[in-house]
Amino acid sequence: MMDYEQNGTEEQSAPLHMELTAASTTIDASVIQSRIRQSASIQKEDAAMMEDGDQPIFPKLSAAQASGNKIEYRRVRCPPHRYTPLREHWEQILTPLVEYLKLQVRFNTKTRSVEMKTSPHTLDVGGLQKGADFVSAFMMGFEVQDAVALLRLDDLYVESFNVTDVKILKGDHLSRAVGRVAGQDGKTRFAIENATRTRIVVADQRIHMLGSYANLRVARNAICDLVLGAPPGKVYNNMRNVAKRMSERY
């Protein structure tokens, strides 16, 4: 042990005290405060480091500058059954692409495809890909109001699969599996959408789903159970239990 006795007296290390006044310990509910408390010496050191190490601030690059002033293109083909809805909702599709993403858009009547390209006014580097995903989601069968969420939120995804990817079915067995997923007048599909906060499109043998990653997993499991022949009541209960756990977790 170390001996701290000197001149007949014992030295003890003084405890570190932080100055806490009534004003500093009082919490005002109307003001959002930081939960990190630091001593005055640490605050002075951090302030000195911020003053000495000023980092340069660079302006944000536009999409044209980031790609070396190269114009990028995307082309999304329009299926025959979506040609009429595209013509009816063309203005609603064009508005976010031009005004929000600053893209140049046109519809090529020869190839029946929507063509997009960047312009000098395009600021977002990933704007062209976002626009292509938005148009592709509409071509799959989603409503414009649902597909436009891909432009506003970054944690949304579109997942597609065939019913035969879950189980190899043919003839009437395949038709009954698709019918179980849709339900009478679409009730089963609406129930899955409301419970999992997703959007589902049943297009012949293809299933398209739009939502967040965790919600897509719950909806996919429910649809796969219906394709495999599980009773709808059992699927509803499992789906509600999982959705309840997810809501409690987040």
Side-chain angles (χ1 to χ4, degrees), residues 17-241:
H17 294 285
M18 296 179 62
E19 297 181 359
L20 297 176
T21 62
S24 62
T25 56
T26 304
I27 298 177
D28 188 1
S30 62
V31 180
I32 300 177
Q33 298 177 345
S34 174
R35 293 177 290 179
I36 300 177
R37 295 288 180 261
Q38 295 177 336
S39 63
S41 60
I42 294 180
Q43 293 179 3
K44 289 181 181 179
E45 292 177 0
D46 292 346
M49 291 177 60
M50 292 294 293
E51 292 177 359
D52 296 340
D54 289 336
Q55 297 181 355
I57 300 176
F58 298 101
K60 184 178 179 180
L61 292 178
S62 63
Q65 293 173 343
S67 61
N69 293 325
K70 294 181 180 179
I71 298 177
E72 297 182 350
Y73 294 88
R74 289 291 189 279
R75 177 182 293 174
V76 180
R77 190 173 297 277
C78 178
H81 68 281
R82 297 297 291 174
Y83 186 72
T84 301
L86 178 66
R87 185 171 53 190
E88 295 176 353
H89 299 87
W90 176 248
E91 188 173 354
Q92 301 177 23
I93 296 173
L94 200 64
T95 301
L97 294 176
V98 175
E99 296 184 359
Y100 179 65
L101 297 178
K102 308 295 183 183
L103 298 175
Q104 295 181 357
V105 187
R106 72 173 184 179
F107 182 75
N108 193 332
T109 56
K110 293 184 179 179
T111 60
R112 287 208 169 186
S113 58
V114 179
E115 298 177 351
M116 294 165 283
K117 72 174 183 177
T118 57
S119 66
H121 304 285
T122 305
L123 300 178
D124 190 1
V125 178
L128 185 62
Q129 187 59 50
K130 287 182 179 179
D133 294 341
F134 164 61
V135 177
S136 298
F138 178 80
M139 298 303 181
M140 291 178 183
F142 293 101
E143 297 290 338
V144 179
Q145 294 82 359
D146 299 332
V148 78
L150 290 170
L151 304 180
R152 299 174 181 173
L153 302 175
D154 293 333
D155 60 341
L156 292 183
Y157 303 91
V158 176
E159 183 175 347
S160 303
F161 63 92
N162 282 321
V163 175
T164 54
D165 295 338
V166 181
K167 185 178 182 181
I168 299 177
L169 300 171
K170 296 180 181 179
D172 293 339
H173 300 286
L174 179 60
S175 301
R176 283 193 291 268
V178 175
R180 285 195 299 270
V181 174
Q184 184 179 6
D185 298 330
K187 291 181 180 179
T188 305
R189 179 172 66 90
F190 292 144
I192 297 175
E193 287 181 346
N194 295 331
T196 60
R197 298 178 183 177
T198 57
R199 289 294 178 266
I200 300 173
V201 172
V202 180
D204 195 19
Q205 302 179 18
R206 295 186 179 183
I207 309 288
H208 307 292
M209 299 180 297
L210 170 65
S212 62
Y213 182 80
N215 294 339
L216 285 179
R217 182 178 60 181
V218 178
R220 182 177 62 246
N221 292 338
I223 293 175
C224 291
D225 291 341
L226 289 172
V227 172
L228 293 175
K234 184 177 180 181
V235 175
Y236 291 159
N237 292 333
N238 294 338
M239 188 171 49
R240 289 195 190 99
N241 294 334

